[in-house]
Amino acid sequence: MSGPTKHIAGIVLCGGQSSRMGREKWALPWGNETLLQRTVRILSEVVHPIAVVAAAEQNVSGLPAHAILVRDQISAQGPLGGLHAGLQELAQVNGPRIEAAYVTACDTPLLKPEFVRAIIERLETHELAVAKEGRFHHPLAGVYRLSLIDRIEKLLRASRNRPLFLIEDSDSCEVDVEELRSVDPELDSLRNCNTPEEYEAVLKKFQPSLLSDSTTGKHHSS
């Protein structure tokens, strides 16, 4: 299967504080792109349109014309608040009906289109499908139906803003990560860049020549 998946959009969250990184993760260089640009480009191979959710005062630049920049008006609500903002925006998009959205963070440069498709295929008639590793869920490696908007809003109003609450309160398909190794043997799609050390590690894995340039701001084609 190739090309965009019908009726499925995408959401990329980039509004986190990046406190462990020490600088905004979305803007970190990756070849001739930023982490955000790369993530949006990869996700665009599978789903359309893409909503990028940023904090209210965050200065996000360099997005492709087809991406929709969304402002998360409620701060300190974490990924669930970003998911709510993204789904709400996608519900208002003109054109073909959008039924669900695959959600990822902006710092997943090793995301594989095949991994995204595999999660989407598990959705079937469920309200959401999310990767699970042992007892740990990966809520930013999941696909969520737009019909969940009201339920998410109720959780946020009750200060139950952990994604796990949504997973537990919904008809959820929990996808064992071992099932996903056929399309992503090392589960690179789940690797985030939360710290400088993690960022350097994924740079080294992808292309060592990018590593020295990550601190200088020089960009090369990847």
Side-chain angles (χ1 to χ4, degrees):
M1 181 170 59
S2 62
T5 304
K6 290 183 178 180
H7 308 302
I8 307 293
I11 296 174
V12 179
L13 304 184
C14 71
Q17 295 182 351
S18 302
S19 56
R20 285 185 287 169
M21 180 62 70
R23 51 177 170 159
E24 290 200 288
K25 292 188 292 184
W26 73 265
L28 292 171
W30 188 278
N32 61 353
E33 302 172 293
T34 63
L35 288 190
L36 176 58
Q37 289 170 335
R38 177 176 172 83
T39 300
V40 169
R41 176 173 58 80
I42 294 171
L43 193 56
S44 296
E45 295 181 27
V46 186
V47 297
H48 180 84
I50 306 291
V52 175
V53 183
E57 304 300 326
Q58 195 173 15
N59 183 21
V60 176
S61 60
L63 288 175
H66 66 81
I68 306 168
L69 182 59
V70 184
R71 295 295 179 181
D72 191 353
Q73 299 300 326
I74 305 175
S75 61
Q77 293 284 6
L80 196 61
L83 171 60
H84 182 257
L87 291 177
Q88 275 196 318
E89 183 69 24
L90 292 171
Q92 301 175 42
V93 171
N94 293 325
R97 183 181 74 261
I98 297 172
E99 297 179 356
Y102 182 91
V103 182
T104 187
C106 66
D107 59 333
T108 54
L110 302 182
L111 182 66
K112 290 179 170 54
E114 297 82 4
F115 182 95
V116 176
R117 291 191 179 100
I119 296 288
I120 291 173
E121 287 172 358
R122 302 306 201 283
L123 180 62
E124 298 181 341
T125 61
H126 300 286
E127 293 180 305
L128 66 90
V130 62
K132 186 178 182 183
E133 190 170 1
R135 299 178 64 180
F136 177 76
H137 294 84
H138 292 273
L140 300 189
V143 57
Y144 301 81
R145 291 194 181 277
L146 269 66
S147 58
L148 292 169
I149 291 174
D150 290 344
R151 189 174 308 155
I152 297 172
E153 185 171 344
K154 289 179 181 178
L155 288 171
L156 294 173
R157 287 179 175 176
S159 297
R160 301 180 71 220
N161 57 3
R162 293 178 58 196
L164 179 60
F165 292 135
L166 177 65
I167 295 170
E168 292 177 339
D169 290 355
S170 304
D171 171 17
S172 304
C173 175
E174 300 175 340
V175 186
D176 191 319
V177 295
E178 295 304 315
E179 299 178 23
L180 300 168
R181 290 189 184 275
S182 61
V183 294
D184 190 352
E186 297 186 49
L187 300 177
D188 287 331
S189 298
L190 298 175
R191 295 188 65 171
N192 297 101
C193 302
N194 290 313
T195 66
E197 293 76 19
E198 289 176 347
Y199 173 47
E200 291 182 3
V202 293
L203 278 173
K204 184 176 181 180
K205 178 181 177 66
F206 179 73
Q207 187 172 323
S209 63
L210 296 178
L211 187 58
S212 60
D213 295 332
S214 67
T215 57
T216 64
K218 294 179 181 179
H219 293 183
H220 298 289
S221 297
S222 54

